[in-house]
Amino acid sequence: MRNDHVTLRSTAVFDLLAPRTPAVPVKVELRYDTRDPYAIVAAFRTGRAGWVEWVYARDLLADGLLAEAGDGDVRIRPSVEDPESVLIELNSPSGHAMFEASAQELADFLDRTYDVVLPGNEHLWVDVDDALTHLIPNDLG
């Protein structure tokens, strides 16, 4: 486990897509934190004071830049209509949203995460004892 934690942040604008209406730009903050080296956080601005965060695998983003990826709440795939864009589909019990984002911006952010933690080396950043402490109740004794 490493102690020199790093958090990367990048701001982007994704277009919220809906049938028969113009795309709506949405501010998104992408975060990568070595305390959770397998994950990317995308925080979507929902209004003046609100943010909605989605956490998904870094590998899902990498795979989705090249081909359709994901079979759960988050799906990512290259746009058929625009090779410079990626489609990000989010599903939850409260709704469904489809976003279009710049493939280059996402690839650049992903490359920055690789500069910090190479793929396959994520386990070197995980503190197993700390993770177990959060999973196991403290009042067992």
Side-chain angles (χ1 to χ4, degrees):
M1 200 241 3
R2 312 252 326 238
N3 287 326
D4 47 346
H5 290 289
V6 174
T7 301
L8 300 176
R9 296 175 189 274
S10 181
T11 302
V13 175
F14 291 6
D15 286 332
L16 176 62
L17 306 177
R20 299 176 299 283
T21 61
V24 176
V26 176
K27 182 178 177 181
V28 179
E29 181 185 75
L30 300 170
R31 286 193 314 269
Y32 179 75
D33 190 325
T34 56
R35 288 182 198 109
D36 189 0
Y38 294 98
I40 299 279
V41 175
F44 294 82
R45 181 77 171 187
T46 61
R48 287 189 179 166
W51 291 87
V52 174
E53 291 189 350
W54 284 77
V55 180
Y56 54 91
R58 181 169 74 155
D59 288 347
L60 176 62
L61 177 58
D63 294 345
L65 289 171
L66 303 174
E68 188 168 338
D71 57 7
D73 294 341
V74 179
R75 296 177 184 193
I76 303 173
R77 66 181 179 275
S79 172
V80 174
E81 298 165 1
D82 180 1
E84 295 182 9
S85 294
V86 173
L87 297 175
I88 300 168
E89 184 177 1
L90 306 175
N91 289 293
S92 77
S94 61
H96 169 267
M98 178 73 75
F99 294 92
E100 186 174 52
S102 164
Q104 188 62 55
E105 281 185 55
L106 292 174
D108 290 347
F109 179 73
L110 188 62
D111 286 345
R112 288 178 51 213
T113 74
Y114 292 160
D115 289 342
V116 175
V117 178
L118 288 171
N121 286 340
E122 294 91 350
H123 67 282
L124 299 174
W125 291 81
V126 176
D127 184 343
V128 176
D129 292 332
D130 184 55
L132 287 174
T133 300
H134 288 91
L135 291 174
I136 299 171
N138 291 330
D139 59 353
L140 289 177

